[in-house]
Amino acid sequence: MVRGKFLLRSAVSVLIIIAVIFTSSCGVKTEKIDGVSVKEYMSGEGKFRSITRRGSVKAAANDSAELYFDPENGSVSFYDRLSGDSWNSLPSFTNDFATNMVINVLKDSTLYKIDFVSSLKDSKNLSYEKTDKGVLVTYGFRAEDMNITVPVEYVLDGAFFKATIDMSGVTASENTRLVSIEFLPYLGAVRYSDEDYSIDSFGDWFLVPDGPGALIPTAVEEEPSALEFSVYGNSDKENTIDAAIGAYAVKQKDALLTAVVTEGEENTLIKVLRSAADDKNINRIYPEFTVTPISDVSGTVSAGKSYEGKFTVVYETLGDEGADYIGAAVSVRQILKSNGFSDASEQKEEYPLFISLIMSADGRKDTAVTSFSQAENLLTLLKGKGVNEINLMLEGMFAGGLGQKKAGTAAIPSAIGTQKDFASLCS
């Protein structure tokens, strides 16, 4: 991870990270397990599946924010004093599914999915102690003869809310392997029924780490869907989308929550679930941390080396004028800077403008789109307006245009200009 963070410090958009999902072909020893089956423990009382106020403990407070913990169900709440917005790890509405955490465990030839609420029958499965800036909570999971504990520290760091799992503090029964952790999967979750919906929520969305950042509307009716974004493209799971950074955001009416995975990001999936618009509709976005990489669970499973570091997510909430796309982008950038991903001492007055120009579709004169001279005129115009830092990409500038297939014939076609024109553009 050292190399990845070094690159991020020099250019956040350029990320080169070694693969995290290990297989035997990568030279990492794996264990093969035949005939794997799947079992779920996802039951538990409904009273533990929504936020409550009666037993909440103020875990931390400063001039910017307040942090609350509920010792009855293990939930946390983050209150921003400036905007007056509050974000809870459990939703406010009655439901049969919300939880603070879900773990996936491999034992013998069975993969278990265990919901924390299913373990709350025993009060010993939830404990906490206050720290200097927050609270250290130990979540206990029990199923059959298995006993797993996961410690999570919640702290306030100025206006930021940090949640950290230190894998060195995780315990598990003998022959039990923790595969992954679905972390605070209902923080920022939203459901729109006829009762919940209002015109103010029409513009609500999730910001997902797809390319430079894409929006998924959450207050309009759409077909159910599920997406998984692999941070740094380090997952061997099928149908995952490569993401350059482990960041996302949630907009709800005039409030915005941003989240950035700042430790263990190379072992992270950002998961998005978009539900149908009905009376149980719930949309959510959250990180899933890969602890022990495994192959496909059908048939034979190969398990690799377990991650032993920390997982940390940093959250920030914004309200009023900051609750928009630009506000989310600025918030993510500030979190990255404050956590050493870029040079916080660097005071830049300008940021690069990225321009992509299509020179030619197939290299012929009648399909040329932009010439070298036209590109130069565009740059001259922008520089005259004070735009001095520009990253220019020229597509289709060789023979064959966008359909170029042979490097040996990659000459510049006359349709877009001469070598002299190209030299003038480069200067």
Short mmCIF file of all heavy atoms in Angstrom, two decimals, residues 117-185:
data_model
loop_
_atom_site.label_atom_id
_atom_site.label_comp_id
_atom_site.label_asym_id
_atom_site.label_seq_id
_atom_site.Cartn_x
_atom_site.Cartn_y
_atom_site.Cartn_z
N VAL A 117 -27.61 -8.48 14.30
CA VAL A 117 -28.85 -8.50 15.08
C VAL A 117 -29.21 -9.93 15.49
O VAL A 117 -29.78 -10.15 16.56
CB VAL A 117 -30.00 -7.85 14.29
CG1 VAL A 117 -31.32 -7.97 15.04
CG2 VAL A 117 -29.68 -6.38 14.04
N SER A 118 -28.84 -10.91 14.67
CA SER A 118 -29.15 -12.30 15.01
C SER A 118 -28.40 -12.77 16.24
O SER A 118 -28.74 -13.79 16.83
CB SER A 118 -28.83 -13.22 13.82
OG SER A 118 -27.43 -13.28 13.60
N SER A 119 -27.35 -12.03 16.65
CA SER A 119 -26.56 -12.41 17.83
C SER A 119 -26.93 -11.60 19.07
O SER A 119 -26.37 -11.83 20.14
CB SER A 119 -25.06 -12.20 17.53
OG SER A 119 -24.64 -12.99 16.44
N LEU A 120 -27.87 -10.67 18.96
CA LEU A 120 -28.18 -9.78 20.07
C LEU A 120 -29.10 -10.39 21.12
O LEU A 120 -29.49 -9.71 22.06
CB LEU A 120 -28.80 -8.48 19.54
CG LEU A 120 -27.79 -7.38 19.21
CD1 LEU A 120 -28.49 -6.18 18.61
CD2 LEU A 120 -27.01 -6.96 20.44
N LYS A 121 -29.44 -11.66 20.98
CA LYS A 121 -30.20 -12.33 22.03
C LYS A 121 -29.37 -12.40 23.31
O LYS A 121 -29.89 -12.44 24.41
CB LYS A 121 -30.58 -13.74 21.58
CG LYS A 121 -31.34 -13.80 20.27
CD LYS A 121 -31.44 -15.24 19.80
CE LYS A 121 -31.93 -15.29 18.36
NZ LYS A 121 -31.91 -16.64 17.82
N ASP A 122 -28.05 -12.42 23.14
CA ASP A 122 -27.13 -12.49 24.27
C ASP A 122 -26.50 -11.12 24.47
O ASP A 122 -25.80 -10.62 23.60
CB ASP A 122 -26.05 -13.53 23.96
CG ASP A 122 -25.16 -13.79 25.16
OD1 ASP A 122 -25.16 -12.97 26.09
OD2 ASP A 122 -24.46 -14.82 25.15
N SER A 123 -26.75 -10.51 25.63
CA SER A 123 -26.24 -9.17 25.88
C SER A 123 -24.71 -9.12 25.90
O SER A 123 -24.13 -8.05 25.75
CB SER A 123 -26.78 -8.65 27.22
OG SER A 123 -26.38 -9.51 28.28
N LYS A 124 -24.06 -10.26 26.09
CA LYS A 124 -22.60 -10.29 26.11
C LYS A 124 -22.01 -10.02 24.73
O LYS A 124 -20.80 -9.81 24.61
CB LYS A 124 -22.12 -11.65 26.61
CG LYS A 124 -22.48 -11.94 28.06
CD LYS A 124 -21.96 -13.31 28.49
CE LYS A 124 -22.34 -13.60 29.93
NZ LYS A 124 -21.87 -14.95 30.36
N ASN A 125 -22.82 -10.04 23.70
CA ASN A 125 -22.32 -9.86 22.34
C ASN A 125 -22.18 -8.40 21.95
O ASN A 125 -21.88 -8.10 20.80
CB ASN A 125 -23.23 -10.58 21.34
CG ASN A 125 -23.09 -12.09 21.46
OD1 ASN A 125 -22.02 -12.59 21.77
ND2 ASN A 125 -24.17 -12.80 21.23
N LEU A 126 -22.41 -7.48 22.89
CA LEU A 126 -22.22 -6.06 22.61
C LEU A 126 -21.64 -5.39 23.85
O LEU A 126 -22.25 -5.42 24.92
CB LEU A 126 -23.54 -5.40 22.23
CG LEU A 126 -23.49 -3.89 21.95
CD1 LEU A 126 -22.59 -3.59 20.76
CD2 LEU A 126 -24.89 -3.34 21.70
N SER A 127 -20.47 -4.80 23.70
CA SER A 127 -19.85 -4.08 24.81
C SER A 127 -19.16 -2.84 24.26
O SER A 127 -18.87 -2.75 23.06
CB SER A 127 -18.83 -4.96 25.55
OG SER A 127 -17.79 -5.36 24.67
N TYR A 128 -18.91 -1.86 25.14
CA TYR A 128 -18.27 -0.63 24.69
C TYR A 128 -17.53 0.03 25.83
O TYR A 128 -17.79 -0.23 27.00
CB TYR A 128 -19.30 0.33 24.11
CG TYR A 128 -20.15 1.05 25.14
CD1 TYR A 128 -19.85 2.34 25.54
CD2 TYR A 128 -21.25 0.42 25.73
CE1 TYR A 128 -20.61 3.01 26.49
CE2 TYR A 128 -22.02 1.07 26.67
CZ TYR A 128 -21.70 2.35 27.05
OH TYR A 128 -22.44 3.01 28.00
N GLU A 129 -16.57 0.88 25.47
CA GLU A 129 -15.88 1.72 26.43
C GLU A 129 -15.55 3.04 25.77
O GLU A 129 -15.22 3.09 24.58
CB GLU A 129 -14.61 1.05 26.94
CG GLU A 129 -13.59 0.71 25.86
CD GLU A 129 -12.35 0.03 26.42
OE1 GLU A 129 -11.50 0.77 26.96
OE2 GLU A 129 -12.25 -1.20 26.32
N LYS A 130 -15.64 4.11 26.52
CA LYS A 130 -15.37 5.43 25.97
C LYS A 130 -13.88 5.65 25.83
O LYS A 130 -13.08 5.17 26.65
CB LYS A 130 -16.01 6.51 26.85
CG LYS A 130 -17.53 6.46 26.88
CD LYS A 130 -18.13 7.66 27.58
CE LYS A 130 -17.96 8.92 26.79
NZ LYS A 130 -18.67 10.08 27.38
N THR A 131 -13.49 6.36 24.77
CA THR A 131 -12.10 6.71 24.53
C THR A 131 -11.96 8.23 24.57
O THR A 131 -12.94 8.94 24.81
CB THR A 131 -11.62 6.16 23.17
OG1 THR A 131 -12.40 6.77 22.13
CG2 THR A 131 -11.78 4.65 23.10
N ASP A 132 -10.76 8.74 24.31
CA ASP A 132 -10.54 10.18 24.38
C ASP A 132 -11.42 10.95 23.40
O ASP A 132 -11.92 12.04 23.72
CB ASP A 132 -9.06 10.50 24.09
CG ASP A 132 -8.14 10.02 25.19
OD1 ASP A 132 -8.65 9.79 26.31
OD2 ASP A 132 -6.95 9.87 24.94
N LYS A 133 -11.61 10.41 22.19
CA LYS A 133 -12.36 11.13 21.17
C LYS A 133 -13.64 10.43 20.74
O LYS A 133 -14.29 10.86 19.79
CB LYS A 133 -11.48 11.35 19.94
CG LYS A 133 -10.32 12.30 20.16
CD LYS A 133 -9.59 12.55 18.85
CE LYS A 133 -8.47 13.55 19.02
NZ LYS A 133 -7.76 13.82 17.73
N GLY A 134 -14.00 9.32 21.39
CA GLY A 134 -15.18 8.60 20.93
C GLY A 134 -15.47 7.38 21.77
O GLY A 134 -15.44 7.42 23.00
N VAL A 135 -15.70 6.26 21.09
CA VAL A 135 -16.10 5.04 21.78
C VAL A 135 -15.56 3.82 21.03
O VAL A 135 -15.52 3.80 19.80
CB VAL A 135 -17.64 4.97 21.89
CG1 VAL A 135 -18.30 5.00 20.50
CG2 VAL A 135 -18.11 3.75 22.66
N LEU A 136 -15.11 2.83 21.78
CA LEU A 136 -14.64 1.56 21.22
C LEU A 136 -15.72 0.52 21.48
O LEU A 136 -16.03 0.21 22.63
CB LEU A 136 -13.32 1.14 21.86
CG LEU A 136 -12.73 -0.20 21.41
CD1 LEU A 136 -12.40 -0.17 19.92
CD2 LEU A 136 -11.50 -0.56 22.22
N VAL A 137 -16.29 -0.01 20.41
CA VAL A 137 -17.40 -0.96 20.50
C VAL A 137 -16.92 -2.32 20.03
O VAL A 137 -16.25 -2.44 19.00
CB VAL A 137 -18.59 -0.50 19.64
CG1 VAL A 137 -19.77 -1.45 19.81
CG2 VAL A 137 -18.99 0.92 19.98
N THR A 138 -17.28 -3.37 20.77
CA THR A 138 -16.97 -4.74 20.35
C THR A 138 -18.27 -5.43 19.99
O THR A 138 -19.14 -5.62 20.85
CB THR A 138 -16.26 -5.51 21.47
OG1 THR A 138 -15.03 -4.84 21.79
CG2 THR A 138 -15.92 -6.92 21.00
N TYR A 139 -18.39 -5.78 18.72
CA TYR A 139 -19.56 -6.50 18.22
C TYR A 139 -19.27 -7.99 18.23
O TYR A 139 -18.27 -8.44 17.66
CB TYR A 139 -19.90 -6.05 16.80
CG TYR A 139 -20.29 -4.59 16.67
CD1 TYR A 139 -19.34 -3.62 16.38
CD2 TYR A 139 -21.62 -4.20 16.84
CE1 TYR A 139 -19.70 -2.28 16.26
CE2 TYR A 139 -21.98 -2.87 16.71
CZ TYR A 139 -21.03 -1.92 16.43
OH TYR A 139 -21.38 -0.59 16.31
N GLY A 140 -20.14 -8.76 18.89
CA GLY A 140 -19.96 -10.20 18.94
C GLY A 140 -20.95 -10.92 18.03
O GLY A 140 -22.13 -10.57 17.98
N PHE A 141 -20.47 -11.89 17.31
CA PHE A 141 -21.30 -12.67 16.40
C PHE A 141 -21.26 -14.13 16.83
O PHE A 141 -20.17 -14.69 17.04
CB PHE A 141 -20.79 -12.55 14.96
CG PHE A 141 -20.86 -11.16 14.40
CD1 PHE A 141 -19.87 -10.23 14.70
CD2 PHE A 141 -21.90 -10.78 13.58
CE1 PHE A 141 -19.92 -8.94 14.18
CE2 PHE A 141 -21.97 -9.50 13.06
CZ PHE A 141 -20.98 -8.58 13.36
N ARG A 142 -22.45 -14.74 16.94
CA ARG A 142 -22.52 -16.15 17.31
C ARG A 142 -23.45 -16.88 16.38
O ARG A 142 -24.54 -16.41 16.06
CB ARG A 142 -23.01 -16.29 18.75
CG ARG A 142 -22.05 -15.71 19.77
CD ARG A 142 -22.37 -16.17 21.17
NE ARG A 142 -21.46 -15.55 22.12
CZ ARG A 142 -21.15 -16.08 23.29
NH1 ARG A 142 -21.63 -17.25 23.64
NH2 ARG A 142 -20.34 -15.45 24.12
N ALA A 143 -23.01 -18.06 15.94
CA ALA A 143 -23.83 -18.95 15.12
C ALA A 143 -23.29 -20.35 15.29
O ALA A 143 -22.07 -20.57 15.15
CB ALA A 143 -23.77 -18.54 13.65
N GLU A 144 -24.18 -21.27 15.66
CA GLU A 144 -23.77 -22.65 15.95
C GLU A 144 -22.66 -22.63 17.00
O GLU A 144 -22.83 -22.02 18.05
CB GLU A 144 -23.38 -23.35 14.65
CG GLU A 144 -24.53 -23.41 13.64
CD GLU A 144 -24.17 -24.08 12.34
OE1 GLU A 144 -23.09 -24.68 12.22
OE2 GLU A 144 -25.01 -24.01 11.41
N ASP A 145 -21.52 -23.23 16.73
CA ASP A 145 -20.45 -23.23 17.73
C ASP A 145 -19.39 -22.17 17.46
O ASP A 145 -18.29 -22.20 18.02
CB ASP A 145 -19.78 -24.62 17.79
CG ASP A 145 -19.15 -25.01 16.45
OD1 ASP A 145 -19.48 -24.37 15.42
OD2 ASP A 145 -18.35 -25.96 16.44
N MET A 146 -19.71 -21.19 16.59
CA MET A 146 -18.76 -20.14 16.23
C MET A 146 -18.97 -18.90 17.09
O MET A 146 -20.09 -18.55 17.44
CB MET A 146 -18.93 -19.77 14.75
CG MET A 146 -18.57 -20.89 13.79
SD MET A 146 -18.84 -20.39 12.07
CE MET A 146 -20.61 -20.19 12.06
N ASN A 147 -17.87 -18.24 17.39
CA ASN A 147 -17.89 -17.00 18.16
C ASN A 147 -16.85 -16.06 17.57
O ASN A 147 -15.65 -16.35 17.61
CB ASN A 147 -17.61 -17.28 19.63
CG ASN A 147 -17.78 -16.03 20.49
OD1 ASN A 147 -18.22 -14.99 20.01
ND2 ASN A 147 -17.42 -16.14 21.76
N ILE A 148 -17.29 -14.94 16.99
CA ILE A 148 -16.39 -13.98 16.35
C ILE A 148 -16.64 -12.61 16.96
O ILE A 148 -17.80 -12.21 17.16
CB ILE A 148 -16.62 -13.91 14.82
CG1 ILE A 148 -16.45 -15.28 14.19
CG2 ILE A 148 -15.67 -12.92 14.17
CD1 ILE A 148 -17.75 -16.01 13.95
N THR A 149 -15.59 -11.88 17.29
CA THR A 149 -15.74 -10.51 17.79
C THR A 149 -15.02 -9.55 16.86
O THR A 149 -13.92 -9.84 16.38
CB THR A 149 -15.20 -10.35 19.21
OG1 THR A 149 -13.78 -10.57 19.23
CG2 THR A 149 -15.88 -11.32 20.17
N VAL A 150 -15.63 -8.40 16.62
CA VAL A 150 -15.07 -7.37 15.74
C VAL A 150 -15.08 -6.05 16.49
O VAL A 150 -16.14 -5.50 16.77
CB VAL A 150 -15.87 -7.25 14.43
CG1 VAL A 150 -15.27 -6.17 13.54
CG2 VAL A 150 -15.93 -8.58 13.70
N PRO A 151 -13.90 -5.49 16.83
CA PRO A 151 -13.87 -4.20 17.51
C PRO A 151 -13.90 -3.04 16.50
O PRO A 151 -13.19 -3.07 15.50
CB PRO A 151 -12.52 -4.24 18.24
CG PRO A 151 -11.65 -5.09 17.37
CD PRO A 151 -12.56 -6.09 16.70
N VAL A 152 -14.71 -2.04 16.78
CA VAL A 152 -14.81 -0.85 15.93
C VAL A 152 -14.67 0.38 16.81
O VAL A 152 -15.37 0.52 17.81
CB VAL A 152 -16.15 -0.79 15.18
CG1 VAL A 152 -16.17 0.43 14.26
CG2 VAL A 152 -16.39 -2.06 14.38
N GLU A 153 -13.74 1.26 16.44
CA GLU A 153 -13.61 2.51 17.18
C GLU A 153 -14.22 3.65 16.37
O GLU A 153 -13.86 3.85 15.21
CB GLU A 153 -12.14 2.83 17.49
CG GLU A 153 -12.00 4.08 18.37
CD GLU A 153 -10.58 4.32 18.83
OE1 GLU A 153 -9.64 3.78 18.22
OE2 GLU A 153 -10.42 5.07 19.82
N TYR A 154 -15.15 4.36 16.98
CA TYR A 154 -15.79 5.52 16.38
C TYR A 154 -15.24 6.77 17.07
O TYR A 154 -15.28 6.87 18.31
CB TYR A 154 -17.30 5.47 16.56
CG TYR A 154 -17.97 4.24 16.00
CD1 TYR A 154 -18.47 3.25 16.84
CD2 TYR A 154 -18.12 4.06 14.62
CE1 TYR A 154 -19.10 2.11 16.34
CE2 TYR A 154 -18.74 2.93 14.11
CZ TYR A 154 -19.22 1.96 14.97
OH TYR A 154 -19.84 0.84 14.46
N VAL A 155 -14.72 7.72 16.30
CA VAL A 155 -14.17 8.93 16.89
C VAL A 155 -14.58 10.15 16.08
O VAL A 155 -14.95 10.06 14.91
CB VAL A 155 -12.62 8.88 16.97
CG1 VAL A 155 -12.16 7.69 17.77
CG2 VAL A 155 -12.01 8.86 15.57
N LEU A 156 -14.50 11.31 16.73
CA LEU A 156 -14.64 12.59 16.05
C LEU A 156 -13.26 13.16 15.82
O LEU A 156 -12.43 13.19 16.73
CB LEU A 156 -15.47 13.57 16.89
CG LEU A 156 -16.97 13.32 17.00
CD1 LEU A 156 -17.60 14.43 17.84
CD2 LEU A 156 -17.63 13.25 15.64
N ASP A 157 -13.00 13.62 14.62
CA ASP A 157 -11.75 14.29 14.28
C ASP A 157 -12.13 15.62 13.64
O ASP A 157 -12.26 15.72 12.43
CB ASP A 157 -10.93 13.43 13.34
CG ASP A 157 -9.58 14.04 13.02
OD1 ASP A 157 -9.24 15.08 13.63
OD2 ASP A 157 -8.86 13.51 12.15
N GLY A 158 -12.32 16.62 14.48
CA GLY A 158 -12.83 17.90 13.97
C GLY A 158 -14.25 17.71 13.45
O GLY A 158 -15.12 17.20 14.14
N ALA A 159 -14.44 18.08 12.18
CA ALA A 159 -15.76 17.92 11.56
C ALA A 159 -15.95 16.53 10.97
O ALA A 159 -17.03 16.21 10.47
CB ALA A 159 -15.94 18.97 10.46
N PHE A 160 -14.90 15.69 11.01
CA PHE A 160 -14.97 14.37 10.42
C PHE A 160 -15.35 13.32 11.46
O PHE A 160 -15.01 13.42 12.64
CB PHE A 160 -13.63 13.97 9.79
CG PHE A 160 -13.18 14.88 8.69
CD1 PHE A 160 -11.87 15.36 8.66
CD2 PHE A 160 -14.05 15.27 7.69
CE1 PHE A 160 -11.44 16.19 7.64
CE2 PHE A 160 -13.64 16.11 6.68
CZ PHE A 160 -12.33 16.57 6.65
N PHE A 161 -16.05 12.29 11.00
CA PHE A 161 -16.41 11.14 11.81
C PHE A 161 -15.64 9.95 11.26
O PHE A 161 -15.76 9.61 10.08
CB PHE A 161 -17.93 10.93 11.71
CG PHE A 161 -18.40 9.56 12.13
CD1 PHE A 161 -17.98 8.99 13.32
CD2 PHE A 161 -19.31 8.86 11.35
CE1 PHE A 161 -18.43 7.75 13.70
CE2 PHE A 161 -19.78 7.63 11.73
CZ PHE A 161 -19.34 7.06 12.91
N LYS A 162 -14.81 9.30 12.10
CA LYS A 162 -13.99 8.18 11.65
C LYS A 162 -14.43 6.88 12.31
O LYS A 162 -14.72 6.84 13.51
CB LYS A 162 -12.51 8.43 12.00
CG LYS A 162 -11.82 9.47 11.16
CD LYS A 162 -10.33 9.51 11.47
CE LYS A 162 -9.60 10.50 10.56
NZ LYS A 162 -8.13 10.50 10.82
N ALA A 163 -14.47 5.83 11.51
CA ALA A 163 -14.80 4.50 12.01
C ALA A 163 -13.69 3.55 11.58
O ALA A 163 -13.37 3.47 10.40
CB ALA A 163 -16.14 4.04 11.47
N THR A 164 -13.09 2.84 12.55
CA THR A 164 -11.93 2.01 12.26
C THR A 164 -12.10 0.61 12.84
O THR A 164 -12.47 0.46 14.01
CB THR A 164 -10.64 2.62 12.84
OG1 THR A 164 -10.42 3.89 12.25
CG2 THR A 164 -9.43 1.73 12.57
N ILE A 165 -11.81 -0.40 12.02
CA ILE A 165 -11.70 -1.79 12.46
C ILE A 165 -10.23 -2.15 12.43
O ILE A 165 -9.59 -2.09 11.38
CB ILE A 165 -12.48 -2.75 11.55
CG1 ILE A 165 -13.96 -2.38 11.49
CG2 ILE A 165 -12.33 -4.19 12.04
CD1 ILE A 165 -14.75 -3.20 10.48
N ASP A 166 -9.68 -2.53 13.57
CA ASP A 166 -8.30 -2.99 13.64
C ASP A 166 -8.34 -4.52 13.63
O ASP A 166 -8.75 -5.15 14.60
CB ASP A 166 -7.63 -2.48 14.93
CG ASP A 166 -6.15 -2.80 14.98
OD1 ASP A 166 -5.68 -3.63 14.17
OD2 ASP A 166 -5.46 -2.23 15.84
N MET A 167 -7.88 -5.11 12.52
CA MET A 167 -7.99 -6.56 12.37
C MET A 167 -7.16 -7.31 13.40
O MET A 167 -7.43 -8.48 13.67
CB MET A 167 -7.58 -6.97 10.96
CG MET A 167 -8.54 -6.50 9.87
SD MET A 167 -10.24 -7.01 10.18
CE MET A 167 -10.06 -8.80 10.24
N SER A 168 -6.16 -6.66 14.01
CA SER A 168 -5.36 -7.33 15.04
C SER A 168 -6.19 -7.60 16.30
O SER A 168 -5.81 -8.42 17.13
CB SER A 168 -4.13 -6.50 15.39
OG SER A 168 -4.50 -5.26 16.00
N GLY A 169 -7.32 -6.89 16.44
CA GLY A 169 -8.17 -7.09 17.60
C GLY A 169 -9.34 -8.02 17.36
O GLY A 169 -10.14 -8.28 18.26
N VAL A 170 -9.48 -8.53 16.15
CA VAL A 170 -10.58 -9.45 15.81
C VAL A 170 -10.26 -10.84 16.37
O VAL A 170 -9.12 -11.31 16.28
CB VAL A 170 -10.78 -9.52 14.29
CG1 VAL A 170 -11.78 -10.62 13.91
CG2 VAL A 170 -11.26 -8.18 13.76
N THR A 171 -11.25 -11.49 16.96
CA THR A 171 -11.08 -12.87 17.43
C THR A 171 -12.07 -13.77 16.72
O THR A 171 -13.16 -13.33 16.34
CB THR A 171 -11.28 -12.98 18.95
OG1 THR A 171 -12.67 -12.68 19.26
CG2 THR A 171 -10.37 -12.02 19.70
N ALA A 172 -11.70 -15.04 16.56
CA ALA A 172 -12.57 -16.00 15.90
C ALA A 172 -12.33 -17.38 16.47
O ALA A 172 -11.21 -17.70 16.90
CB ALA A 172 -12.33 -16.00 14.39
N SER A 173 -13.37 -18.20 16.49
CA SER A 173 -13.25 -19.56 16.98
C SER A 173 -12.27 -20.36 16.13
O SER A 173 -11.94 -19.98 15.00
CB SER A 173 -14.62 -20.24 16.96
OG SER A 173 -15.56 -19.50 17.71
N GLU A 174 -11.84 -21.47 16.66
CA GLU A 174 -10.88 -22.33 15.96
C GLU A 174 -11.45 -22.81 14.62
O GLU A 174 -12.65 -23.12 14.51
CB GLU A 174 -10.53 -23.54 16.83
CG GLU A 174 -9.42 -24.40 16.27
CD GLU A 174 -9.07 -25.55 17.21
OE1 GLU A 174 -9.72 -25.67 18.27
OE2 GLU A 174 -8.16 -26.32 16.86
N ASN A 175 -10.61 -22.83 13.61
CA ASN A 175 -10.98 -23.28 12.26
C ASN A 175 -12.03 -22.38 11.61
O ASN A 175 -12.72 -22.79 10.67
CB ASN A 175 -11.48 -24.73 12.27
CG ASN A 175 -10.42 -25.69 12.77
OD1 ASN A 175 -9.24 -25.52 12.48
ND2 ASN A 175 -10.85 -26.69 13.53
N THR A 176 -12.18 -21.16 12.12
CA THR A 176 -13.14 -20.20 11.57
C THR A 176 -12.38 -19.07 10.91
O THR A 176 -11.50 -18.47 11.52
CB THR A 176 -14.05 -19.64 12.68
OG1 THR A 176 -14.75 -20.72 13.30
CG2 THR A 176 -15.05 -18.66 12.10
N ARG A 177 -12.71 -18.79 9.68
CA ARG A 177 -11.98 -17.76 8.94
C ARG A 177 -12.94 -16.64 8.53
O ARG A 177 -13.95 -16.88 7.88
CB ARG A 177 -11.36 -18.38 7.68
CG ARG A 177 -10.19 -17.58 7.15
CD ARG A 177 -9.55 -18.23 5.95
NE ARG A 177 -9.06 -19.57 6.24
CZ ARG A 177 -8.13 -20.17 5.52
NH1 ARG A 177 -7.60 -19.54 4.50
NH2 ARG A 177 -7.74 -21.38 5.81
N LEU A 178 -12.63 -15.41 8.95
CA LEU A 178 -13.44 -14.26 8.58
C LEU A 178 -13.14 -13.89 7.13
O LEU A 178 -12.00 -13.60 6.77
CB LEU A 178 -13.13 -13.09 9.51
CG LEU A 178 -13.95 -11.82 9.32
CD1 LEU A 178 -15.44 -12.09 9.48
CD2 LEU A 178 -13.50 -10.76 10.32
N VAL A 179 -14.16 -13.92 6.28
CA VAL A 179 -13.98 -13.67 4.84
C VAL A 179 -14.16 -12.19 4.51
O VAL A 179 -13.33 -11.59 3.83
CB VAL A 179 -14.96 -14.53 4.02
CG1 VAL A 179 -14.91 -14.15 2.54
CG2 VAL A 179 -14.62 -16.01 4.19
N SER A 180 -15.24 -11.57 4.99
CA SER A 180 -15.49 -10.16 4.68
C SER A 180 -16.42 -9.55 5.70
O SER A 180 -17.11 -10.26 6.44
CB SER A 180 -16.06 -10.00 3.27
OG SER A 180 -17.35 -10.59 3.18
N ILE A 181 -16.43 -8.22 5.74
CA ILE A 181 -17.27 -7.46 6.65
C ILE A 181 -18.06 -6.43 5.86
O ILE A 181 -17.48 -5.58 5.18
CB ILE A 181 -16.42 -6.73 7.71
CG1 ILE A 181 -15.59 -7.73 8.52
CG2 ILE A 181 -17.31 -5.89 8.63
CD1 ILE A 181 -14.57 -7.07 9.44
N GLU A 182 -19.38 -6.50 5.92
CA GLU A 182 -20.24 -5.48 5.33
C GLU A 182 -20.45 -4.43 6.42
O GLU A 182 -21.11 -4.68 7.42
CB GLU A 182 -21.56 -6.09 4.87
CG GLU A 182 -21.37 -7.15 3.78
CD GLU A 182 -22.67 -7.80 3.36
OE1 GLU A 182 -23.72 -7.12 3.39
OE2 GLU A 182 -22.65 -8.99 3.02
N PHE A 183 -19.85 -3.26 6.22
CA PHE A 183 -19.68 -2.30 7.30
C PHE A 183 -20.70 -1.16 7.24
O PHE A 183 -20.81 -0.47 6.23
CB PHE A 183 -18.26 -1.73 7.24
CG PHE A 183 -17.89 -0.89 8.42
CD1 PHE A 183 -17.91 -1.44 9.69
CD2 PHE A 183 -17.54 0.43 8.27
CE1 PHE A 183 -17.57 -0.68 10.81
CE2 PHE A 183 -17.19 1.20 9.37
CZ PHE A 183 -17.20 0.64 10.64
N LEU A 184 -21.43 -0.98 8.35
CA LEU A 184 -22.47 0.05 8.46
C LEU A 184 -23.29 0.12 7.17
O LEU A 184 -23.40 1.18 6.54
CB LEU A 184 -21.85 1.42 8.77
CG LEU A 184 -21.02 1.51 10.07
CD1 LEU A 184 -20.54 2.94 10.29
CD2 LEU A 184 -21.81 1.02 11.27
N PRO A 185 -23.89 -1.00 6.77
CA PRO A 185 -24.54 -1.05 5.47
C PRO A 185 -25.81 -0.22 5.34
O PRO A 185 -26.33 -0.04 4.24
CB PRO A 185 -24.86 -2.55 5.29
CG PRO A 185 -24.93 -3.09 6.68
CD PRO A 185 -23.94 -2.31 7.47
#
